[in-house]
Amino acid sequence: MTRLTRTVAAAALAAALALVSGCSGDDDKSNAGAGDGKTPEKVTYLTSFGNFGRDSYAWVAKEKGFFKEAGFDVEIKPGQGTGSVIQTVVGGQADFGPIDLTGGLLQLGNGAAKDFVAVAAIQQRTMAAVVSVEGKNIATPKDLEGKKLADTPTSVVRLLFPTYARLAGVDASRVTFVNGEAQTLMGMLASGTVDGIGQFVVGQPTVETVTKKKPVVLPYSDVMTDLYGNALITSSKLAKEKPETVKRFTAALLKGLEYALANPQEAAELLKKNVPATVPAAAAAELQLMAAYVRSSNSGTAIGTLDSERVAKSIALLQGAGALKSNITPDQIIDFNLTPKA
C-alpha cells in the first residue's frame, strides 16, 4: 500500500502541472459515422479537472477508436472544475464535459449558470468528502466541531458542507473554513495549519503519502445517499439541435468508461501516451478506487443512467437546507430523452 500511495502521489502532483492543450471545437455539420466516406464531426471535450486517472476514460475512448467508430474526431482539453466547465460549454468553446451534478444544481438554482443539460452520469454517488489524518482527533463528523478546514471557495465539498453538517448532526457554525488552492490543500494538511481539507475519496492515497499519516475520510455519501457524482453535460442548444449527435457521443464516451474500469492498467498506459507526466500505476489506482462509484443499486448494471426521482430528492435536500435560491425541477438540468436507460 505504501508503494501504491507514493506512486499515486507522484502522479497527482505531476499531472496537476501537466495540462494538455487542445484545439478548437469547430462545428462540423456532418453526423457521419466511421467508414461512410464522410468527414467525422469535430468535437471538443473537457475533462473534469486536469488529466488524472479518474478522467482517463476519455483518452481510452479516443485511443481505442470508440469515438472514431461513432463518427467523431475528438480533441480533449483539461477542464478546471464544475463552474469553468459549464461556462466553457455554454460559451461554445467546448461541446461536452463532466461536472459535479450537485454543483450544477447549485449553479442553476442560484442563478450562476444556465443553458446546459446533463445527459449521462459518470458516477452514481458523490465522491465529495472531508479528509483529515490520524492525530487530529477526528473520527466522526461530530469531531469536526472546533476544527479548521481548508478548501477552494467554490468547491462542491465546501458549498455542500452546511447541508452535510446538518444531516450528520454537526454544528456548522463551529467549523472554520479557510481558503486554499487545489494544488496546495494537501500541503496545508501536511504542515498542520489545518485539521482537514475538502477532497474526493479517490485522493486519499495521495493524502497519505504527502502527510506521511493515515488519512481519515468522511465521505458525504454516507449521509447524502441520493447525490450523484460527476455527470456529462452539453449545451441546451446542442442537445436541442443535434440530439442524435449527443446520443452517439455519450455512448462512445461511456464505452470508454466501461473499458477503463475493466482494464485500469491499460487505460493508465493510454493516458500516459497522451499525458507523459502520468505514472500508470497511480492512474490505474484512481480508476480502481472510482469503480465503486460508477454503478449503484439504482442503476443496476447500466452505466450512465440518471433517475428523475433521485435528482428530485437531491433538489429537495438542497432546498431543505436553504442551499437553493429558486425552485428547480430535474428536467431543467437533465434531458431525460438523451440519457442512457437502466
Side-chain angles (χ1 to χ4, degrees):
M1 181 63 183
T2 300
R3 294 181 61 190
L4 173 61
T5 55
R6 288 175 179 169
T7 306
V8 173
L13 294 174
L17 301 176
L19 299 180
V20 178
S21 61
C23 301
S24 64
D26 296 333
D27 183 25
D28 187 320
K29 298 299 182 181
S30 169
N31 284 324
D36 61 5
K38 295 183 180 180
T39 304
E41 281 186 273
K42 292 185 177 180
V43 166
T44 300
Y45 173 86
L46 298 177
T47 65
S48 62
F49 183 84
N51 286 301
F52 296 99
R54 69 197 76 165
D55 274 299
S56 62
Y57 56 88
W59 294 107
V60 169
K62 183 170 183 176
E63 290 292 331
K64 298 299 291 185
F66 302 153
F67 285 145
K68 184 177 180 181
E69 290 168 4
F72 296 106
D73 176 10
V74 179
E75 294 287 348
I76 302 173
K77 292 183 178 182
Q80 297 294 329
T82 293
S84 177
V85 170
I86 292 173
Q87 183 180 21
T88 306
V89 169
V90 171
Q93 290 82 42
D95 302 293
F96 299 92
I99 66 166
D100 184 276
L101 186 60
T102 305
L105 289 170
L106 292 171
Q107 292 259 320
L108 181 65
N110 293 322
K114 60 179 182 178
D115 299 328
F116 68 95
V117 291
V119 295
I122 302 301
Q123 292 118 21
Q124 291 286 327
R125 292 185 294 140
T126 179
M127 297 198 300
V130 171
V131 178
S132 184
V133 291
E134 287 187 340
K136 294 291 186 179
N137 296 318
I138 297 174
T140 68
K142 188 70 174 175
D143 298 329
L144 295 174
E145 294 179 359
K147 301 299 195 297
K148 183 188 294 185
L149 308 179
D151 205 349
T152 58
T154 59
S155 162
V156 168
V157 174
R158 188 165 179 175
L159 293 174
L160 272 179
F161 185 78
T163 304
Y164 169 77
R166 181 178 66 83
L167 294 173
V170 177
D171 183 352
S173 68
R174 297 188 57 201
V175 182
T176 302
F177 268 93
V178 297
N179 293 337
E181 298 295 330
Q183 64 269 26
T184 64
L185 291 176
M186 293 185 191
M188 294 174 72
L189 183 59
S191 69
T193 57
V194 296
D195 302 300
I197 59 175
Q199 184 59 237
F200 278 173
V201 293
V202 295
Q204 57 185 299
T206 307
V207 170
E208 183 170 354
T209 299
V210 172
T211 64
K212 305 296 190 294
K213 296 179 180 179
K214 186 176 180 179
V216 175
V217 183
L218 302 177
Y220 280 17
S221 59
D222 285 351
V223 297
M224 295 187 286
T225 57
D226 287 314
L227 297 186
Y228 284 91
N230 281 351
L232 179 67
I233 68 161
T234 189
S235 67
S236 299
K237 182 176 185 293
L238 184 60
K240 180 179 179 180
E241 295 180 355
K242 302 176 74 175
E244 293 306 315
T245 292
V246 174
K247 287 182 179 180
R248 284 188 294 111
F249 181 86
T250 300
L253 182 69
L254 294 180
K255 188 175 181 180
L257 175 61
E258 190 158 21
Y259 190 96
L261 295 177
N263 304 276
Q265 190 60 50
E266 182 182 354
E269 294 291 348
L270 293 176
L271 179 63
K272 182 175 177 60
K273 177 181 176 182
N274 292 277
V275 185
T278 299
V279 177
E286 282 213 353
L287 284 170
Q288 290 166 341
L289 287 170
M290 190 177 82
Y293 289 80
V294 173
R295 289 185 173 91
S296 73
S297 58
N298 302 73
S299 68
T301 60
I303 282 183
T305 62
L306 285 160
D307 181 77
S308 180
E309 290 186 8
R310 273 190 65 194
V311 177
K313 289 179 181 179
S314 297
I315 293 171
L317 184 151
L318 296 174
Q319 289 173 332
L324 294 178
K325 295 179 181 178
S326 62
N327 294 325
I328 57 176
T329 60
D331 57 7
Q332 285 179 268
I333 194 170
I334 298 169
D335 190 331
F336 289 101
N337 291 321
L338 300 179
T339 58
K341 307 305 177 187

